[in-house]
Amino acid sequence: MSASGLVATYPSTQPVEHAAVETEAPTVSSLFELHASGVYRLALAMLREPEAAQDVVQDTFARLLEQLRAHGPLTNPRGWLYTVAAHACRDRQRTLGRWLPWIAERDTRSASEKPDRFDEREAVLDAIRALPSRDRLLIALRAQGLSYQEIGAASGIRFTSVGRLLARALDRLQQKLNRRG
């Protein structure tokens, strides 16, 4: 998505001074180009709703503008963006009461009897969705290529514990996949 797509897809909810945007636009634009899709994928994995994920992307980059105006350049912009996005996802989950577990009996969706080319991908996505929130977060952050330190900062977990917790999350994912097939 181009920087001009930022305006169309993620409209601003607050007026922004034109002069301030011009001085920060190259930095924000390049960060958006590099990380918006990854932040979106993280938010989608956490929230499971495309509209909510788009809102998180918008909020994250709006906060980036505020951060750059107030404090100048970031030392680790990628880590900062994913940390802000992860916190925004957790805040939304808390606000909406989404910490409740998925209950199979209440799921009224029906599956097609005919297999298609996306069945394996859907099986992996379903297995990820069935994981606890922290496991989904750790796997999603690692899938975006974040380091253990960046994952620790984004998730609020000590980075020395990230490897162990991520390994356990991946083990639980593998167990779910093994049960399915």
Side-chain angles (χ1 to χ4, degrees):
M1 176 178 288
S2 69
S4 62
L6 173 65
V7 175
T9 306
Y10 305 108
S12 176
T13 58
Q14 298 177 356
V16 178
E17 292 180 25
H18 187 66
V21 172
E22 285 182 5
T23 60
E24 295 168 5
T27 302
V28 173
S29 176
S30 62
L31 288 173
F32 184 83
E33 291 289 331
L34 289 171
H35 302 295
S37 61
V39 169
Y40 175 79
R41 285 190 303 271
L42 167 70
L44 187 60
M46 292 302 301
L47 300 173
R48 303 179 191 137
E49 295 177 8
E51 296 82 19
Q54 288 174 347
D55 288 345
V56 167
V57 173
Q58 176 182 345
D59 295 345
T60 300
F61 282 91
R63 292 208 39 214
L64 175 64
L65 281 169
E66 293 170 10
Q67 175 71 19
L68 292 174
R69 283 188 194 125
H71 304 288
L74 300 167
T75 57
N76 182 0
R78 181 176 82 156
W80 188 93
L81 287 168
Y82 281 98
T83 299
V84 169
H87 286 283
C89 289
R90 283 199 305 268
D91 289 346
R92 282 179 179 271
Q93 287 173 323
R94 239 181 261 120
T95 302
L96 298 174
R98 298 274 170 108
W99 289 103
L100 299 174
W102 174 73
I103 301 171
E105 295 80 31
R106 293 186 185 170
D107 190 350
T108 59
R109 297 175 290 178
S110 61
S112 170
E113 296 299 321
K114 179 182 170 191
D116 62 17
R117 62 187 180 116
F118 297 109
D119 278 351
E120 188 173 313
R121 180 177 144 207
E122 287 300 317
V124 173
L125 291 174
D126 287 343
I128 290 172
R129 288 179 188 122
L131 292 172
S133 179
R134 183 177 72 180
D135 290 354
R136 287 193 319 269
L137 175 63
L138 292 173
I139 290 170
L141 290 170
R142 188 60 180 168
Q144 294 304 317
L146 272 66
S147 69
Y148 284 5
Q149 285 187 326
E150 292 170 328
I151 293 171
S155 63
I157 298 170
R158 288 182 304 157
F159 82 92
T160 55
S161 301
V162 168
R164 177 177 38 87
L165 294 173
L166 180 60
R168 289 180 185 170
L170 290 171
D171 286 343
R172 283 189 280 275
L173 176 60
Q174 186 62 53
Q175 289 171 0
K176 289 190 181 301
L177 290 171
N178 289 343
R179 282 188 221 135
R180 291 187 72 106

